[in-house]
Amino acid sequence: MQECSQCTRKTPNRSCVDCDYFMSPGPLRRKPPAPIGISLVAADGKRYAGRILVLNTMELGLETKAPVPGQYRIYLKQHLSLDVAGVPTKGKGNIHLFDIIAVYRGEETASRLGNEEYRLLTGSTGDFIEQVSQLVPAHLQDLVKERLLAELQSSEIFNAMRLGKVMRYEKGRFRHLTGQADLELPLPAIENLMRQAIHRGTHCREVIVSDDGKRIFDLHGIPLDSRSGGLLAFDLTEIVEKERQMRRQEMQAYREAVAAVTNGRLQLLTSGEMVAVLSQGKELARGVVNKAADIALARSKLCSLLPAAFSARAYGMAVSLTEALTNTLKHATGGEWVVRQTDEAIRVIIQDQGQGIKIKDLPKAALMRHYSTQNSLGCGFTLMLYYADQVYLTTGSRGTTLVLDFHQSAGEEICSPAS
Amino acid sequence: MLAISVTKGDYGRCLNLKGELDMETLATLERAAEVQEGEGQLEINLAGVSFIDSTGLRGLLEIQRRWSMKGGEVRVINPCPEIAEVFRLVGMEELLDCSDQSKATGGEY
């Protein structure tokens, strides 16, 4: 009491912030890079403005006109608030020392600031970004920094990081550090990930779907030591939905482009639309292709079962079937073929479980004849599109289904069928 | 299946192909052509070929490219109309020998 009252008289301009009597020196005493504006709320609801000038984990040095002694609550962010009590013997003028009586973190209560809160309050925005982004694997750091910075610029420091959530995992418990507090993550999944990361001592990543199937999370578990780690969760739902939407639009654009450049001869179908196409008519033959020699067998089988009315189409059909089956060997591990007869056409169906065809290459393949000689996909397609009257295609990462319809020709006889 | 006999043709060695030229049989043709490499000119006679696909066509193009790099020349002769049409469809009609051009461009068949 002596010291501060004497100091008020003798050296009124001396700063309390650096005074060892006001707040004990030590590594935990820190000044925020800039004073942090806060409100002190008294028990009767009256609010006083204040600024945090200096702090450690148990005390705050505040500039405020709030009466001291007195007990106040300080709301730092959504799920973090403090109860503080002014210490009448420390400070001068509007500068007072406040003891931290309680720290409320969501459901938890503590008697002092946690490391993270302390660091958040004492670090600069830049430091905070560095710290958080260091929890993230190297290739994501720049992205996280950039996004955090943008977030921080548009909001207050404690409301930062709306894109996801950062949590600390220690001794089997999670504590929300920063970010979107209401982001609900499936506990078993994040626990599992953190245990794995800590056990292996390395960054572990998992993309999971919420229990109700509605949200998609990108989870990163980063071990900090043998018992604790950081969890960084990104909510990808909107990004994924946006991507799906773009893919649907892109698909629609290609459908139209492909139909236009082929005069409707090539139609891209969704797998749902394809189901009906596959079951029309009656089956004449089917087979499997695992090696090049199987293709000649398939070709010969096709030609042998063709009704006489289709003999003029035999060569084109043999080439088309061969091209499609060759693709299944080149781009997948082989495939299946089925020949069906519908009311007016012979329908040849070829399916594989490969990586799918790049849809964006199709309009080129269909339009540019010479594109074909440099491109194995295009070459086969050029021929199939020439010989078949109608081509239906469904392709995706789970495989490709190609349907080739050949109509009965209008009477002209050409050469002999391939044998 | 593809069988190949070698005769002396108008321009040099002639490979007479009989059967089908596709992914399965292309290697047979490539080996036969390799044996003749350095001969200057090579004819590939498709008279006995009943079927060719794009893999076979690319194989022929590759053989021609290898030969021309060494100063040689490859002519493909006697395709049946269906095969000539396949050459035309993929833009490879120039590979066919000029004297067979009428056949090669033969959309009228």
Side-chain angles (χ1 to χ4, degrees):
Chain A
M1 182 157 52
Q2 286 295 313
E3 274 85 346
C4 291
S5 54
Q6 280 173 15
C7 176
T8 309
R9 286 198 308 274
K10 292 180 183 169
T11 51
N13 292 329
R14 196 175 153 219
S15 156
C16 294
V17 172
D18 300 307
C19 171
D20 291 351
Y21 180 79
F22 179 71
M23 184 182 283
S24 313
L28 291 177
R29 187 178 75 180
R30 286 281 163 80
K31 285 188 284 183
I36 299 169
I38 50 155
S39 289
L40 293 94
V41 184
D44 62 3
K46 197 161 183 208
R47 300 174 82 92
Y48 301 91
R51 300 199 300 161
I52 302 176
L53 303 178
V54 60
L55 74 156
N56 62 31
T57 56
M58 300 168 77
E59 301 161 315
L60 302 176
L62 303 180
E63 182 187 38
T64 179
K65 287 181 176 155
V68 172
Q71 198 166 319
Y72 305 92
R73 180 161 292 188
I74 299 173
Y75 294 92
L76 283 173
K77 56 175 180 170
Q78 203 176 356
H79 288 281
L80 177 65
S81 55
L82 311 174
D83 277 351
V84 294
V87 182
T89 54
K90 302 247 176 130
K92 58 186 179 185
N94 286 336
I95 298 177
H96 304 282
L97 190 76
F98 285 79
D99 280 332
I100 296 173
I101 302 169
V103 177
Y104 304 99
R105 272 179 216 109
E107 300 293 291
E108 285 178 62
T109 307
S111 60
R112 57 170 69 196
L113 287 174
N115 283 345
E116 293 78 26
E117 291 126 13
Y118 168 72
R119 259 188 251 124
L120 286 178
L121 290 168
T122 54
S124 68
T125 305
D127 287 346
F128 166 68
I129 293 176
E130 279 300 323
Q131 280 172 20
V132 173
S133 57
Q134 257 156 35
L135 290 171
V136 202
H139 68 283
L140 286 174
Q141 281 183 10
D142 284 344
L143 176 75
V144 170
K145 276 185 207 170
E146 196 180 296
R147 293 176 80 161
L148 275 178
L149 198 62
E151 287 293 334
L152 285 168
Q153 279 164 354
S154 64
S155 65
E156 292 177 59
I157 178 165
F158 299 119
N159 294 328
M161 256 200 91
R162 293 216 174 274
L163 73 161
K165 172 173 184 174
V166 180
M167 303 216 284
R168 187 182 172 95
Y169 178 80
E170 194 165 16
K171 297 175 194 158
R173 296 185 65 189
F174 280 98
R175 206 165 62 215
H176 176 248
L177 283 193
T178 185
Q180 205 176 327
D182 58 357
L183 193 66
E184 280 184 26
L185 300 168
L187 195 61
I190 59 176
E191 260 186 324
N192 204 21
L193 181 75
M194 286 316 303
R195 282 205 208 98
Q196 204 179 14
I198 292 168
H199 176 70
R200 291 190 194 161
T202 176
H203 159 246
C204 288
R205 179 187 183 188
E206 207 170 338
V207 176
I208 59 159
V209 178
S210 65
D211 294 336
D212 61 6
K214 286 184 180 158
R215 305 206 75 80
I216 300 160
F217 301 110
D218 186 4
L219 305 174
H220 297 262
I222 301 104
L224 297 173
D225 56 43
S226 62
R227 282 184 312 176
S228 68
L231 176 82
L232 193 70
F234 296 96
D235 188 344
L236 299 184
T237 316
E238 278 163 34
I239 300 171
V240 169
E241 183 46 42
K242 185 89 194 154
E243 228 173 63
R244 280 196 191 133
Q245 204 182 331
M246 279 169 63
R247 213 171 296 152
R248 276 197 295 270
Q249 283 169 355
E250 195 183 55
M251 182 71 180
Q252 187 55 33
Y254 281 120
R255 276 171 86 125
E256 286 164 15
V258 160
V261 301
T262 61
N263 283 327
R265 192 177 282 206
L266 172 57
Q267 286 185 29
L268 301 182
L269 301 185
T270 64
S271 28
E273 293 166 330
M274 184 56 98
V275 173
V277 175
L278 296 182
S279 59
Q280 283 162 1
K282 68 171 199 279
E283 184 177 311
L284 299 182
R286 65 163 59 227
V288 175
V289 164
N290 297 312
K291 54 186 187 299
D294 295 337
I295 297 178
L297 293 176
R299 196 161 61 216
S300 141
K301 180 77 188 163
L302 170 69
C303 291
S304 72
L305 58 76
L306 282 184
F310 287 88
S311 61
R313 312 293 312 268
Y315 191 84
M317 291 169 81
V319 170
S320 302
L321 176 68
T322 302
E323 297 299 338
L325 290 175
T326 302
N327 282 343
T328 71
L329 283 180
K330 282 183 181 166
H331 304 299
T333 52
E336 266 187 281
W337 58 270
V338 180
V339 178
R340 301 181 77 89
Q341 184 164 18
T342 64
D343 287 344
E344 50 189 22
I346 293 290
R347 176 165 288 175
V348 180
I349 301 165
I350 300 96
Q351 288 183 292
D352 70 49
Q353 260 119 52
Q355 305 271 302
I357 294 171
K358 283 185 197 149
I359 298 289
K360 67 176 163 61
D361 287 345
L362 284 176
K364 267 188 283 183
L367 259 187
M368 298 166 61
R369 202 173 60 159
H370 296 278
Y371 175 77
S372 59
T373 46
Q374 297 139 31
N375 180 294
S376 60
L377 163 69
C379 200
F381 251 88
T382 305
L383 295 174
M384 286 186 268
L385 281 172
Y386 176 78
Y387 288 116
D389 295 297
Q390 184 73 56
V391 179
Y392 301 101
L393 174 70
T394 297
T395 187
S397 56
R398 277 173 299 196
T400 297
T401 300
L402 186 67
V403 175
L404 307 162
D405 274 1
F406 299 87
H407 296 154
Q408 206 170 302
S409 54
E412 54 173 342
E413 293 290 321
I414 313 171
C415 213
S416 59
S419 56
Chain B
M1 284 299 295
L2 184 71
I4 300 177
S5 63
V6 185
T7 53
K8 189 169 178 337
D10 295 343
Y11 303 100
R13 294 285 170 148
C14 179
L15 302 180
N16 301 287
L17 277 49
K18 187 169 169 54
E20 299 181 331
L21 183 57
D22 66 358
M23 194 185 196
E24 184 193 2
T25 59
L26 178 62
T28 311
L29 171 62
E30 285 172 338
R31 276 195 301 273
E34 214 175 295
V35 172
Q36 306 298 326
E37 247 171 61
E39 283 288 317
Q41 290 201 317
L42 180 71
E43 276 183 343
I44 298 178
N45 182 4
L46 299 186
V49 174
S50 59
F51 181 86
I52 194 165
D53 71 351
S54 66
T55 310
L57 288 177
R58 266 199 306 279
L60 288 172
L61 199 64
E62 180 60 19
I63 291 169
Q64 191 218 27
R65 195 186 61 83
R66 285 173 65 114
W67 279 62
S68 64
M69 272 169 60
K70 293 180 178 174
E73 200 183 330
V74 174
R75 290 155 191 259
V76 178
I77 58 169
N78 299 326
C80 77
E82 287 87 354
I83 289 178
E85 185 177 34
V86 177
F87 272 82
R88 184 176 62 76
L89 287 173
V90 301
M92 279 175 55
E93 61 266 49
E94 60 272 23
L95 191 64
L96 295 174
D97 184 64
C98 293
S99 59
D100 288 305
Q101 201 59 45
S102 58
K103 283 185 191 172
T105 53
E108 63 272 22
Y109 278 81

